[in-house]
Amino acid sequence: MRVGGLASGMDTDAIVRDMMKIQKMPLDKLMQQKTWMEWQKDSFRDVNLSLSNLRNLASGLRLQSTFNSYSATSSTPGAATAETSALSVSGNYKVNVERLASGAKVHSANTIMKDANNAAKSTDQIGVAGNIVIKGSGTGAVDIPIAIEATDTYEAVAKKVQDATAGKVPELRMSFDSTTSRFFISTKGMGADQNFTMDFENADGTANSALAKQVVNQESATAGVFVSSFSTSAATATDTFMSKANTVKVTFDGITVDNLNTNKTTINGLTINLLSVGESTITVQADATKTFDKIKDFVDKYNEAIGDIEKQLVEKRYPNFQPLSAEQKKDMSENEIELWEEKARSGLLRNDPVLRGAMQELRRSFMDPVAGVPNGNLNLMSQIGINTGNYTEGGKLFIDEDKLKAALTEQPDEVMALFTNRVGDQNVGVGGRVYETLNNVVKRLSDKAGSPNSLVDNSQMTKYLKQMDQDISRWQDKLTRIEDRYWKQFTAMEKALSQMNSQSAWMQQNLFGGM
């Protein structure tokens, strides 16, 4: 029970409140430090996010594909088209497609009949048992026997063949088409090694002409006997029910290539898409616009991020403007609070050693010579029109656009090496150095203040803030005990004064007759 001023007439509440203000001064200072550190942590995390985004942009500057400054056109796009790479060379190239790569194909030579009057459907039973043996011609090929039951439907036969060859050589795709009442068989891959043989056999290994009739339905020279074995590699132009698998045959500027198993290949830095038999001329021209735009976009984003960081590094600190407590805000208007906190938040990152070091490292990453470049080739960013200016400009990059475009047009391979050059396993080009520097800075900032993209925060500042919370809790407990002690003391005083007053009144009444 708290007794305030009943006997003494003093404003005990005000006295205790004023005494506690003095006791709370260390706690107020601690809470100001905590608020300041929370603001500072948020600022570090904002910078971390900005540099993380910049690092993602810088990632592309390490890759040769970013510096593909060529375009390709085809005189006969129906026959062949081309895609350029950073290794392409300007010029005209003649491409003559003599043969496309293809897989082996087989279909039933004639309509398969369920009976004399009705064509077969996929759900009908095949009506004859036996084995279908698939024999491949390519490397790793093995004989694949497939048992067929008379009760199997045509659809089930197709699935058995497809499942049995899955993942093997050859790997077949097989289906039964109810519209035409025919089987359709093809290899998944292309190239001469995809040719295969299909044998129809009885259990004792003899030819099974009846099963062959229900699958291929190609009558042999002997009347009433159906082809029970065929090989796609023996197919000719006159065969109507099968065609063999082939490799590509193409001539590139007089050089013949005939061992490809795909209709897409890369020759002399060009990725050529072969579409049909025919001749075409591929024209390759330097096109600096795409690469220029990518470099300029990165420089603009870089300058924006660096400018913001440099501004915070030199921002003035106002030590007399500390974070406001809730009690202090009660006596201030919103405008006064806003103006005060603008001063209080100023200089949160002033001269921070991590960020100051990062600015210096980035400057060196851009402007130091690139190692491993042949003598006489471009090895400095200044040679392509990119400079950092002087130190007073905070390490921002400045582009001589005409000089950069000229370098991209006339020396695209050297510009690419300037950004992407490697020595062993290490990317020592400008793109690699900048990316690595940003990556290291982001890691240091994450260790210091946490990462905005991570749910787990074990950063140094977070640990300090947790320690501050514990210190604040201890101070609050201590202040509660001090305030309770003050009130006990004042209550005891009030009780003593009350007893004195009671005794004085009794003595006056009894000794002086109540006068």
Side-chain angles (χ1 to χ4, degrees):
M1 179 179 177
R2 293 178 174 180
V3 179
L6 293 178
S8 65
M10 295 188 299
D11 187 352
T12 308
D13 281 337
I15 294 172
V16 172
R17 189 164 54 247
D18 289 342
M19 293 173 69
M20 289 304 299
K21 284 182 179 178
I22 297 173
Q23 295 290 343
K24 284 179 62 179
M25 288 178 65
L27 175 61
D28 291 339
K29 185 175 182 180
L30 183 59
M31 295 190 73
Q32 286 176 333
Q33 291 174 345
K34 180 191 173 188
T35 301
W36 166 263
M37 183 167 286
E38 288 173 337
W39 289 349
Q40 194 177 46
K41 178 183 174 183
D42 289 340
S43 293
F44 274 122
R45 288 165 73 92
D46 289 341
V47 170
N48 196 357
L49 180 60
S50 175
L51 293 180
S52 295
N53 293 334
L54 192 63
R55 177 188 60 183
N56 294 338
L57 284 175
S59 178
L61 296 179
R62 304 176 299 162
L63 308 176
Q64 291 185 352
S65 58
T66 300
F67 298 89
N68 179 8
S69 57
Y70 296 94
S71 62
T73 57
S74 172
S75 63
T76 313
T81 61
E83 302 165 18
T84 61
S85 70
L87 300 176
S88 300
V89 179
S90 296
N92 295 321
Y93 304 92
K94 290 187 177 181
V95 177
N96 181 18
V97 183
E98 299 181 42
R99 184 180 64 234
L100 292 175
S102 62
K105 294 181 180 180
V106 180
H107 63 75
S108 305
N110 297 289
T111 301
I112 297 174
M113 303 299 293
K114 177 184 178 183
D115 52 46
N117 299 315
N118 297 299
K121 300 298 181 183
S122 62
T123 54
D124 292 334
Q125 294 182 359
I126 195 168
V128 59
N131 294 321
I132 299 176
V133 182
I134 309 298
K135 300 177 181 178
S137 61
T139 302
V142 295
D143 291 356
I144 307 170
I146 303 143
I148 306 299
E149 304 294 336
T151 54
D152 288 338
T153 63
Y154 291 99
E155 183 179 48
V157 170
K159 187 175 187 306
K160 278 188 173 183
V161 172
Q162 185 161 303
D163 290 349
T165 60
K168 298 177 182 177
V169 181
E171 186 170 0
L172 301 182
R173 294 288 180 262
M174 186 173 180
S175 64
F176 187 86
D177 176 56
S178 292
T179 301
T180 59
S181 296
R182 282 174 164 85
F183 280 104
F184 287 85
I185 310 167
S186 62
T187 55
K188 183 178 179 181
M190 295 187 294
D193 61 355
Q194 294 296 308
N195 285 303
F196 65 94
T197 298
M198 181 176 280
D199 293 340
F200 300 89
E201 299 177 351
N202 293 305
D204 60 2
T206 58
N208 190 331
S209 181
L211 180 57
K213 178 182 179 182
Q214 293 302 313
V215 178
V216 181
N217 201 16
Q218 171 73 352
E219 195 167 358
S220 66
T222 304
V225 178
F226 293 82
V227 173
S228 59
S229 178
F230 66 86
S231 177
T232 60
S233 61
T236 65
T238 60
D239 287 314
T240 58
F241 75 100
M242 69 174 177
S243 59
K244 65 181 178 181
N246 275 312
T247 54
V248 160
K249 184 174 183 181
V250 61
T251 302
F252 181 89
D253 265 7
I255 303 170
T256 299
V257 179
D258 62 358
N259 60 348
L260 303 177
N261 294 329
T262 175
N263 291 315
K264 186 173 185 176
T265 184
T266 299
I267 303 175
N268 194 29
L270 288 174
T271 299
I272 304 172
N273 301 300
L274 308 174
L275 305 174
S276 65
V277 173
E279 294 185 5
S280 60
T281 299
I282 304 296
T283 301
V284 178
Q285 301 179 76
D287 179 10
T289 304
K290 292 186 293 184
T291 306
F292 174 85
D293 289 342
K294 290 176 183 177
I295 294 175
K296 189 174 186 304
D297 180 59
F298 174 80
V299 169
D300 290 342
K301 295 292 195 308
Y302 175 84
N303 285 341
E304 182 180 342
I306 296 305
D308 181 63
I309 293 172
E310 188 64 31
K311 179 181 177 182
Q312 294 185 72
L313 284 171
V314 299
E315 192 173 47
K316 186 176 180 180
R317 174 81 179 102
Y318 298 93
N320 293 331
F321 288 81
Q322 294 296 321
L324 295 169
S325 66
E327 292 180 358
Q328 290 172 321
K329 290 181 179 179
K330 290 179 182 177
D331 301 326
M332 301 173 68
S333 67
E334 290 186 6
N335 186 53
E336 288 174 332
I337 293 173
E338 182 179 347
L339 292 174
W340 182 283
E341 291 200 340
E342 182 180 341
K343 294 279 189 180
R345 287 176 178 270
S346 179
L348 289 168
L349 304 182
R350 180 178 176 83
N351 287 328
D352 177 75
V354 173
L355 295 179
R356 181 61 71 189
M359 297 302 98
Q360 295 172 354
E361 290 173 20
L362 284 170
R363 183 184 178 94
R364 289 196 299 270
S365 295
F366 275 107
M367 303 317 297
D368 284 354
V370 174
V373 174
N375 291 335
N377 283 13
L378 300 173
N379 70 340
L380 290 169
M381 291 286 281
S382 58
Q383 294 172 319
I384 63 172
I386 300 178
N387 291 281
T388 58
N390 58 50
Y391 281 94
T392 61
E393 292 166 308
K396 287 186 177 181
L397 299 176
F398 298 90
I399 299 178
D400 182 333
E401 295 191 4
D402 291 337
K403 192 172 183 178
L404 177 57
K405 287 179 179 178
L408 289 170
T409 301
E410 299 167 9
Q411 300 164 282
D413 53 335
E414 293 187 31
V415 176
M416 179 184 69
L418 184 63
F419 280 89
T420 67
N421 199 48
R422 303 186 71 87
V423 174
D425 294 333
Q426 188 176 5
N427 189 328
V428 298
V430 172
R433 294 187 316 208
V434 171
Y435 177 85
E436 196 60 34
T437 298
L438 288 169
N439 198 46
N440 291 336
V441 174
V442 167
K443 185 178 184 304
R444 290 200 293 269
L445 289 175
S446 297
D447 291 341
K448 184 170 186 175
S451 170
N453 297 320
S454 175
L455 297 177
V456 179
D457 185 359
N458 293 318
S459 64
Q460 297 169 3
M461 296 186 78
T462 297
K463 291 177 181 178
Y464 291 152
L465 288 169
K466 288 180 179 178
Q467 182 61 50
M468 284 183 174
D469 284 334
Q470 294 175 0
D471 293 342
I472 288 171
S473 179
R474 284 194 291 268
W475 262 105
Q476 289 172 335
D477 291 342
K478 180 179 180 180
L479 290 172
T480 299
R481 293 194 298 271
I482 292 173
E483 187 176 9
D484 286 343
R485 188 180 77 236
Y486 283 157
W487 273 106
K488 286 178 182 178
Q489 291 171 339
F490 276 105
T491 298
M493 181 190 74
E494 293 291 340
K495 288 180 179 179
L497 287 173
S498 179
Q499 289 176 355
M500 286 178 57
N501 289 338
S502 296
Q503 290 175 353
S504 176
W506 181 84
M507 291 176 63
Q508 185 176 14
Q509 182 178 9
N510 286 279
L511 294 176
F512 301 105
M515 296 180 63

